[in-house]
Amino acid sequence: MHARGRKAAHLLHIGKTGGTAVKNALEDQLTAGTYDLFLHPHRMLLKDIPEGEKVFFFLRDPVSRFISGFHSRKRQGMPRTFSPWNSGEREAFAHFNTPKELAEAIGHEDPEIKRKAEAAMRAIQHVRDSYWRWFGDEAYLRHRAKDILFIGHQEQLGADFEQLVRLLGFDPAQVRLP
């Protein structure tokens, strides 16, 4: 329980799943609905959220997420933000121009190309992060299942967001995605 005896609901912000749009839509509603909302940055993990408090998040098809993550980092986050490449990303984008090139290089028969692809996969933010980064492992995710309020999907973000808004105690006509 939080302020005024209200329950908490936390956005677990998984990269490249629509979380930024969800945060923007909810940022002015933190205490207006059924729950006190906590809209966390990417670094917040499920294990960081107190047990017994509700969690909601969005997922995305892994291939689509890989492609989006690759392009986002290749643009260094632009135009929304500027996040310069780390040294590993600089090296990765010197060798791989497209997500397809990188994906195909993972299974390449040339060991040097394969090594560069594996290094790129470990270096590129959003590409290197699997869902397990946020969830821990299967056993922990199952342990926390009772805390999961809602799981949405980026591919149907609009409809899923409307459903989430209702669960959070808002009118979907009043709380909308940007």
Side-chain angles (χ1 to χ4, degrees):
M1 292 288 184
H2 283 266
R4 302 175 314 274
R6 292 162 40 95
K7 297 179 199 169
H10 300 260
L11 170 64
L12 191 61
H13 189 177
I14 298 169
K16 308 315 298 172
T17 63
T20 299
V22 171
K23 284 172 80 168
N24 287 342
L26 295 175
E27 66 189 357
D28 293 333
Q29 308 297 325
L30 299 180
T31 59
T34 306
Y35 297 88
D36 285 339
L37 300 180
F38 296 87
L39 309 177
H40 298 293
H42 292 117
R43 70 180 173 273
M44 182 68 98
L45 309 177
L46 182 58
K47 69 178 183 149
D48 300 324
I49 295 169
E51 286 194 32
E53 295 190 4
K54 295 299 182 187
V55 178
F56 60 97
F57 53 87
F58 285 77
L59 301 175
R60 184 178 193 167
D61 171 78
V63 173
S64 174
R65 185 171 173 264
F66 170 81
I67 292 167
S68 176
F70 182 96
H71 287 305
S72 175
R73 289 308 303 142
K74 189 169 183 186
R75 294 187 316 269
Q76 299 182 68
M78 299 289 280
R80 198 179 65 76
T81 63
F82 176 69
S83 176
W85 292 335
N86 62 43
S87 61
E89 288 173 323
R90 193 174 307 105
E91 181 79 13
F93 293 122
H95 294 290
F96 304 104
N97 291 314
T98 67
K100 184 176 190 246
E101 284 180 14
L102 175 55
E104 289 175 346
I106 291 293
H108 203 280
E109 58 189 41
D110 180 328
E112 183 59 17
I113 292 173
K114 185 174 181 167
R115 184 195 65 73
K116 287 178 181 177
E118 290 170 349
M121 292 291 292
R122 286 189 301 273
I124 301 171
Q125 182 186 353
H126 295 310
V127 168
R128 70 177 174 229
D129 296 331
S130 89
Y131 288 125
W132 295 116
R133 173 179 177 260
W134 285 273
F135 301 140
D137 58 27
E138 183 179 353
Y140 186 71
L141 181 59
R142 287 183 184 278
H143 170 73
R144 294 294 302 272
K146 65 188 175 307
D147 294 337
I148 297 173
L149 176 67
F150 183 79
I151 302 171
H153 295 87
Q154 187 272 342
E155 292 81 4
Q156 55 197 42
L157 187 61
D160 283 0
F161 182 74
E162 277 191 30
Q163 187 178 355
L164 171 65
V165 163
R166 284 187 182 91
L167 278 172
L168 296 174
F170 303 119
D171 176 358
Q174 302 297 317
V175 181
R176 305 186 66 96
L177 289 169

